[in-house]
Structures are given as structure tokens and as C-alpha cells.
Amino acid sequence: MNALAATNRNFRHAARLLSLDSKVETSLLIPYREVKVECTIPKDDGTLTSFVGFRVQHDNSRGPMKGGIRYHPEVEHGEVNALAQLMTWKTAVVNVPYGGAKGGIGCSPKELSTSELERLTRVFTQKIHDLIGVNTDIPAPDMGTDGQTMAWILDEYSKFHGYSPAIVTGKPLYTVKQTEKLANHAATTEKALVCLRRTWRADNVVTVEPTVFPYYSSDGIQRFLDGRWRGFCGF
């Protein structure tokens, strides 16, 4: 089963637990926007090569869409679509005012030089700059990308829209204020530790249902629905 089929299956299971109306269920499975772009760049040896990039914006009902950009040879439309949907549920589970999005480029970053990666990132940004924004869709690092990638996106986006440091998260430490450095640098690790601590009980027994993926918990989906259908945005 591919990523999108598995994601949709799990969501439908959660929808049944919540007794969602079939129209509501269907609407939540349909992304807001899907973009596919061709990114052609000159390589260091002078030849031209092209890569396919994606940005899927799943839902913006709770606030600006949020999600990483990954560089990996197996990046394809279905995977990006599934990950965008998961971002919607993740932001709802933790009750933050964001929606879900995801992006990626089908490439092998280890086989590209730094200058080739920069050209690829800048071309991709040129193709999607009018679809992202601080109040619309905020990219972040993911598999195969890092703070340097985000710095290139920030710089290229700013050519079109003026200096916009909030257009991406996960920027290099030298691009953020001193007070933001620690939280920004270790955010992913800290979140993992928080999740582990909250699922570990005093008797040293982990009590997480093995067959239910946490993004699809009734509480998380209900929070999302509260924001989408009842006007609560969580601000």
C-alpha cells in the first residue's frame, strides 16, 4: 500500500469513529492545491538536467499552511500529498493555528554539488514563490534539506517580495535572533523527547495503542473540525 492510500485509510477509520458525515469526510481528503513544476538547472559540467518538484497545500482552515520540503530520489506526488494531509492533522492534534502542506523534489542531494543544490532550490522557489507566504504557506526543512536550503529559499523569495524572514522556519542560526537560537536548533529533538515523556507512565509501561496512529486520534481530528466548521481558529 502506498503512502497516500495508507493515509486515506487511516483517516477514514478515524472518520468512522467520529461518525462524520460522508460529505465532510470527502472534503477533508481533497487538498486545497497541488502544484507540480519542472526545475531545469545547469550542472557544474555545463550540461542541463531537470528535476520534478511538488508542493501540496492540503488545508488552510485553521491558519497558514505549514510543512517541510524534502529532497529525495523517491519523492513523488502521492507521498507529498499524504505528508501534506498528515501535517493538517499534526497541527490540529497540538492545537496550533496552522494548516498542512508539504513539498519535495525528486533528486539525490548527495550526488549534487553545493552550487547545484543552490541553483535547484532557487529555481524551485521561483516556480512556487507566488503560492507561499507568511500568511499562506510556510516551508520548513525535511529529509535531504537543512538550514542552508531554507536560507536559499528565503533569499530567493525576498527578491520577489522583499525581505521576509518569516517565510521559512529552520533557518541557519545566524539568520535568527540570539534568543531564538537554542529553540530553533534543537526543536525536532525536543519534540521527540516531549512525546516520549508524555507517553511513559509512572509504572514504566508505555500505554499507546499499537494500531492507532496518533495523528488520527479522535481528539486531534475533533480539534481540526472545531476549527474548520465552528469558526474556532485557536489563536
Side-chain angles (χ1 to χ4, degrees):
M1 182 180 295
N2 63 39
L4 183 57
T7 300
N8 290 343
R9 177 201 61 187
N10 292 338
F11 173 76
R12 289 191 176 97
H13 175 67
R16 287 194 296 272
L17 294 176
L18 292 169
S19 300
L20 292 186
D21 178 83
S22 60
K23 292 180 181 179
V24 175
E25 177 183 336
T26 299
S27 69
L28 294 178
L29 288 171
I30 300 173
Y32 176 77
R33 180 185 288 126
E34 302 178 28
V35 179
K36 175 183 176 181
V37 297
E38 291 284 345
C39 301
T40 302
I41 63 167
K43 297 193 70 175
D44 292 344
D45 61 7
T47 61
L48 288 179
T49 186
S50 186
F51 302 92
V52 177
F54 304 92
R55 187 67 178 175
V56 175
Q57 298 170 330
H58 179 256
D59 195 278
N60 62 356
S61 300
R62 290 174 54 84
M65 292 167 282
K66 184 81 180 72
I69 293 177
R70 60 175 49 189
Y71 290 178
H72 191 273
E74 296 181 6
V75 166
E76 49 86 25
H77 167 262
E79 177 196 49
V80 177
N81 195 321
L83 293 170
Q85 185 183 144
L86 290 176
M87 282 302 301
T88 297
W89 312 138
K90 285 195 286 187
T91 55
V93 164
V94 297
N95 198 26
V96 294
Y98 291 102
K102 206 73 173 184
I105 300 177
C107 67
S108 299
K110 292 182 179 180
E111 297 178 2
L112 299 174
S113 68
T114 300
S115 59
E116 289 169 341
L117 284 171
E118 178 178 358
R119 288 193 288 271
L120 177 59
T121 301
R122 289 182 180 276
V123 169
F124 182 61
T125 305
Q126 292 167 13
K127 298 293 181 74
I128 68 168
H129 75 87
D130 55 342
L131 303 177
I132 61 176
V134 297
N135 296 310
T136 307
D137 181 3
I138 306 166
D142 200 279
M143 182 187 302
T145 58
D146 55 20
Q148 178 60 74
T149 313
M150 297 302 105
W152 290 328
I153 293 175
L154 164 59
D155 185 60
E156 194 66 26
Y157 180 87
S158 296
K159 293 179 182 178
F160 297 94
H161 303 276
Y163 182 57
S164 307
I167 185 57
V168 291
T169 56
K171 298 178 288 292
L173 300 185
Y174 58 81
T175 67
V176 298
K177 296 179 181 178
Q178 182 69 32
T179 54
E180 298 171 343
K181 286 186 178 183
L182 180 60
N184 184 57
H185 185 62
T188 301
T189 304
E190 290 292 336
K191 285 183 289 186
L193 290 173
V194 167
C195 290
L196 286 172
R197 282 196 292 263
R198 290 186 177 181
T199 55
W200 193 262
R201 299 295 183 260
D203 56 358
N204 292 332
V205 176
V206 177
T207 56
V208 178
E209 295 182 43
T211 59
V212 180
F213 199 58
Y215 303 154
Y216 301 99
S217 66
S218 297
D219 178 63
I221 299 298
Q222 193 62 56
R223 284 187 184 180
F224 171 76
L225 292 173
D226 287 345
R228 183 183 180 103
W229 303 107
R230 299 172 191 164
F232 174 73
C233 295
F235 289 96

